[in-house]
């Protein structure tokens, strides 16, 4: 009977040791989940920023076009002679210049955001790949630890059985 108590206490010891590894494993899983959530959150923030910038750009283009149209209508109402054609041509040229300036203004912003998006995608892929690799390594290590704990339990049982004889 004394061996039974000793056997149960040794099993409890090894089970406790194994459970501590399980807790570490669960903690690492949670850390990985939080890391992926942070990457996803950053990705959503970047998409929102790009969307906002694109909206601002479109609104700017729209406002410029509306201004040009209003000036043309006003000039049409004020003057119906040959000079109007010259003013209209001048306004068209001004609009072309304005569009080129806007393009030069927005182009660096788009380049930076494209770079950020590409970097974000690469970072996300790398992080997910590293996390998956860590999970596989941990899983393999945990299986070996479980096997070791089982072998240690069996060894103690055999030792106690030999001690009984």
């Amino acid at each position: 009977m004394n061996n039974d108590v000793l056997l149960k206490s040794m099993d409890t010891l090894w089970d406790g040791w194994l459970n501590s590894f399980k807790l570490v494993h669960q903690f690492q899983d949670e850390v990985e989940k939080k890391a992926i959530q942070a990457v996803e959150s950053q990705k959503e923030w970047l998409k929102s920023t790009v969307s906002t910038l694109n909206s601002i750009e479109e609104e700017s283009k729209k406002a410029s076009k509306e201004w040009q149209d209003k000036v043309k209508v006003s000039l049409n109402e004020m003057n119906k002679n040959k000079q109007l054609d010259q003013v209209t041509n001048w306004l068209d040229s001004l609009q072309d210049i304005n569009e080129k300036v806007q393009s030069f203004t927005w182009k660096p912003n788009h380049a930076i955001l494209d770079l950020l998006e590409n970097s974000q995608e690469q970072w996300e892929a790398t992080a997910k790949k590293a996390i998956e690799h860590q999970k596989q390594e941990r899983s393999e290590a945990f299986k070996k630890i479980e096997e070791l704990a089982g072998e240690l339990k069996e060894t103690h049982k055999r030792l106690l059985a030999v001690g009984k004889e």
Side-chain angles (χ1 to χ4, degrees), residues 16-34 130-146:
W17 181 71
L18 189 58
N19 284 334
S20 68
F21 280 104
K22 287 180 182 178
L23 286 173
V24 169
H25 190 9
Q26 289 172 348
F27 175 73
Q28 289 171 326
D29 282 343
E30 286 302 314
V31 169
E32 289 168 350
K33 286 178 188 175
K34 296 293 181 188
I131 287 171
E132 188 58 38
H133 180 70
Q134 285 179 346
K135 281 182 179 179
Q136 288 174 350
E137 292 291 322
R138 266 197 332 271
S139 179
E140 289 174 20
F142 189 71
K143 284 178 187 176
K144 294 203 185 287
I145 289 169
E146 283 181 319

Side-chain angles (χ1 to χ4, degrees), residues 53-117:
L53 183 64
N54 287 338
S55 294
I56 291 170
E57 182 181 12
E58 289 302 314
E59 288 300 316
S60 174
K61 287 178 181 179
K62 189 189 303 183
S64 176
K65 180 71 174 140
E66 287 174 4
W67 173 81
Q68 182 185 16
D69 291 344
K70 286 180 182 179
V71 169
K72 282 182 181 179
V73 167
S74 295
L75 288 174
N76 273 337
E77 291 174 4
M78 291 174 27
N79 190 3
K80 303 248 181 201
N81 61 25
K82 295 262 180 197
Q83 286 181 340
L84 180 62
D85 290 337
Q86 291 174 348
V87 172
T88 302
N89 288 338
W90 177 77
L91 285 175
D92 288 340
S93 296
L94 186 62
Q95 181 63 24
D96 288 341
I97 291 169
N98 187 35
E99 287 174 5
K100 287 178 184 175
V101 167
Q102 283 182 343
S103 175
F104 289 133
T105 301
W106 292 107
K107 197 173 234 174
N109 293 334
H110 285 292
I112 289 169
L113 288 174
D114 287 344
L115 177 66
L116 285 173
E117 283 181 316

